[in-house]
Amino acid sequence: MSTAVTNDRSFFGHPKGLGLLFTTEMWERFSYYGLRPLLVLFMAAALNEGGFGLERTQASAIVGIYAACVYLASLPGGWIADRWLGLRRAILLGAVLITGGHLAIGVSGFAGAGIGKIFFFLGLVLIVLGTGLLKPNISAIVGDLYPEGGARRDAGFSIFYMGINTGAFVGQLVTGYLGERVSWHWGFGAAGIGMAFGLVSFWLLSRKLLGPIGDDIVRNPDATVQAKQERTVRTSTLAGLGVLALVFALAASGVITIDPQQVGGAMTFVLVGIAVVFFAYIFAFGGLTGDEKKRSAVIFVLFVFAAIFWAAFEQAPTSLQLFANDFTDRNLFGFEIPATWFQSVNSLFIIIMSPVFAALWIVLAKRHIDLSSPAKFALGLALAGAGFLLMVSAANQVVASGGTALVSPWWLIASYFFQTCGELFLSPVGLSSMTKLAPRRYVGQMMGIWFLAASVGNLVAGLVGGQVDPTKLEQTPAVFSGTAIALFVSTAILLAMVVPIRRMMASVK
């Protein structure tokens, strides 16, 4: 049955299972990206406008911590799936938790100020836990649909990536309009409905379209050792959830006070430390062969540069969102464009350009022109740098006017175009590289490492994003220029490493 599933080409030349994974991930991203751009505006909005009245730096840091935790949860989520639940059960449980989280956020507006905040942050916690179970494991199943590897798998991931951005595009338009024009909580609730659709579709169709793929774990031949491994995972998971519940209860009751900026700063060091410890552990005690160690070393290098890319790219819901809200002319024939709609520009470009990039990889492969993963990463970093260089010019116009001028929306649109091109060089290729490079018994955890890079990037982006403020104009061009410089320097360093990394990947198909 597995061979029949992977050899199928009825979904635009790809297995039908890719269509199901495309749909499920589309609705999950509808919910995630539908919620995300509303958060910083909602939390920074005054109390009389229905928000929390937080300072921008605090609200932006919370968004960064939330997004960082969403991706960070992918690491234990991959581990739990690899060692206990299996990929498919982890995806289903994750979808249930995400749906419940959006429901909690949606009803928080009707629960009163104090209780409403508890429901709101409880919803964010549930979404973090659910996404950690769903996101790395659904990507791992996509990789399992292509055991032969090669350009077809890269093309499959590009199509899958188009599903992600279809959900993101539609989600941000729907929830952005409802949130900014009707009620914050109507926007939040609409995001949850999308995830419910994804949950139902995967539950009903996964057995038929995926066959046995992702249904079980890679088991140890020794049943005693296997039972011990599963017991360890269960115990660790329950202990972690217990600690999380305790911290949440103490914060909700006011026993402890959490400063988002201090927490974010500390988390940056912790997250990088987690990556270093993980790679050190598998190199020393993971039982890797020489070839697997080389592949894992390449994954570590890609992790570092992916984190740098995401630290720039994920300023979309913070610094770029605030720039759209405060400094951009949003009037279109008398209609004021919701600021959150600019978040959908990136997704629209990806929808349009993903098929082009998917075809490009296959055409280049047929002509025996094969850009390595690090070369594609370097191009992605350079293009993102060009996008932020444009924003420096736009920010300088605002500063020169003393904050009175509203710049053309084309600055943001052009910036998002370059960032999107960079993303298409880096992100789907990175997903595919993880499935190709990762040792089989660590594939779920290596997908978690890929999302850990996004976690670090989101956290850094949240910490710097709140610096875009009408009362502190000089900070805005400094944020954008610093980001551009970091991206261009990283490009140069990675280009210098392309040849040795390519040699280390010589056996990868």
Side-chain angles (χ1 to χ4, degrees):
M1 177 62 183
S2 179
T3 303
V5 169
T6 57
N7 288 340
D8 176 50
R9 293 175 178 262
S10 57
F11 182 71
F12 301 102
H14 295 268
K16 284 184 290 189
L18 180 64
L20 173 63
L21 301 175
F22 175 104
T23 302
T24 305
E25 182 73 349
M26 179 188 74
W27 284 117
E28 188 273 329
R29 292 291 89 179
F30 175 100
S31 69
Y32 176 73
Y33 284 106
L35 171 69
R36 193 181 68 158
L38 291 175
L39 292 178
V40 70
L41 298 180
F42 166 70
M43 288 187 288
L47 295 174
N48 61 4
E49 296 175 349
F52 286 168
L54 299 179
E55 293 183 7
R56 287 186 170 211
T57 51
Q58 298 288 319
S60 181
I62 290 172
V63 173
I65 292 170
Y66 160 69
C69 288
V70 162
Y71 288 102
L72 177 62
S74 296
L75 192 55
W79 179 60
I80 290 169
D82 281 346
R83 296 290 185 264
W84 178 21
L85 294 178
L87 300 177
R88 292 218 318 239
R89 283 187 292 273
I91 291 168
L92 275 174
L93 179 57
V96 170
L97 290 172
I98 294 170
T99 303
H102 282 288
L103 178 63
I105 292 173
V107 303
S108 66
F110 307 101
I115 300 298
K117 273 192 176 183
I118 294 175
F119 271 98
F120 179 84
F121 286 107
L122 174 62
L124 294 183
V125 170
L126 290 175
I127 293 171
V128 166
L129 296 176
T131 308
L133 286 171
L134 186 148
K135 193 152 181 61
N137 299 310
I138 199 169
S139 298
I141 289 184
V142 173
D144 285 344
L145 290 175
Y146 303 94
E148 77 280 4
R152 186 167 173 257
R153 174 156 49 180
D154 283 357
F157 270 103
S158 291
I159 293 172
F160 177 70
Y161 209 67
M162 185 169 64
I164 291 174
N165 286 279
T166 301
F169 173 69
V170 177
Q172 288 166 147
L173 292 179
V174 172
T175 64
Y177 182 83
L178 291 174
E180 291 191 60
R181 295 291 189 267
V182 181
S183 163
W184 298 114
H185 296 281
W186 277 99
F188 296 150
I193 292 173
M195 186 64 251
F197 282 131
L199 166 62
V200 171
S201 64
F202 190 83
W203 177 56
L204 293 176
L205 298 174
S206 59
R207 177 67 58 189
K208 177 182 178 181
L209 299 182
L210 296 176
I213 293 177
D215 201 29
D216 201 2
I217 60 177
V218 178
R219 297 184 177 275
N220 192 292
D222 189 326
T224 303
V225 174
Q226 180 62 36
K228 183 179 179 181
Q229 287 180 348
E230 293 187 26
R231 193 163 52 247
T232 299
V233 176
R234 285 196 297 269
T235 302
S236 301
T237 301
L238 293 174
L241 291 174
V243 171
L244 177 62
L246 176 61
V247 172
F248 185 88
L250 292 175
S253 61
V255 175
I256 61 174
T257 301
I258 297 176
D259 184 323
Q261 288 182 293
Q262 290 184 358
V263 171
M267 278 183 64
T268 304
F269 293 100
V270 172
L271 297 186
V272 174
I274 287 173
V276 172
V277 169
F278 174 79
F279 280 101
Y281 173 81
I282 65 167
F283 270 93
F285 307 108
L288 302 181
T289 65
D291 182 61
E292 287 175 333
K293 286 183 178 181
K294 290 180 181 180
R295 294 183 181 202
S296 297
V298 173
I299 289 177
F300 180 75
V301 172
L302 297 182
F303 162 83
V304 171
F305 288 99
I308 294 169
F309 176 86
W310 295 124
F313 185 85
E314 294 298 350
Q315 289 182 44
T318 54
S319 66
L320 296 175
Q321 175 67 72
L322 293 170
F323 191 91
N325 190 68
D326 297 328
F327 303 130
T328 301
D329 182 3
R330 295 184 280 119
N331 186 284
L332 181 65
F333 304 114
F335 172 72
E336 186 179 44
I337 302 170
T340 49
W341 280 15
F342 284 93
Q343 296 288 291
S344 67
V345 172
N346 164 254
S347 301
L348 178 61
F349 280 140
I350 287 184
I351 293 168
I352 294 170
M353 296 167 63
S354 282
V356 177
F357 274 76
L360 175 64
W361 305 142
I362 294 177
V363 169
L364 290 177
K366 287 180 178 178
R367 297 183 179 182
H368 305 290
I369 301 172
D370 183 22
L371 292 175
S372 65
S373 296
K376 292 174 182 175
F377 268 50
L379 286 169
L381 289 162
L383 288 165
F388 275 92
L389 198 59
L390 287 175
M391 292 308 300
V392 175
S393 297
N396 283 332
Q397 288 185 27
V398 173
V399 173
S401 72
T404 60
L406 295 178
V407 301
S408 168
W410 289 107
W411 286 105
L412 273 171
I413 293 170
S415 178
Y416 280 131
F417 173 78
F418 281 104
Q419 291 181 57
T420 299
C421 291
E423 183 183 6
L424 285 169
F425 268 106
L426 184 142
S427 190
V429 173
L431 283 170
S432 181
S433 295
M434 294 305 108
T435 62
K436 289 188 292 187
L437 293 167
R440 178 60 195 163
R441 60 192 175 282
Y442 291 107
V443 64
Q445 293 168 68
M446 286 301 188
M447 290 308 305
I449 282 292
W450 171 249
F451 293 116
L452 179 61
S455 178
V456 174
N458 273 274
L459 185 57
V460 174
L463 292 174
V464 304
Q467 303 301 317
V468 175
D469 192 326
T471 64
K472 302 171 183 176
L473 292 177
E474 71 285 351
Q475 293 183 162
T476 302
V479 168
F480 295 148
S481 61
T483 302
I485 291 169
L487 288 166
F488 288 134
V489 170
S490 299
T491 300
I493 295 172
L494 186 53
L495 284 174
M497 300 174 67
V498 165
V499 173
I501 291 176
R502 192 181 185 103
R503 289 173 183 161
M504 295 172 72
M505 296 175 61
S507 64
V508 178
K509 295 181 180 180

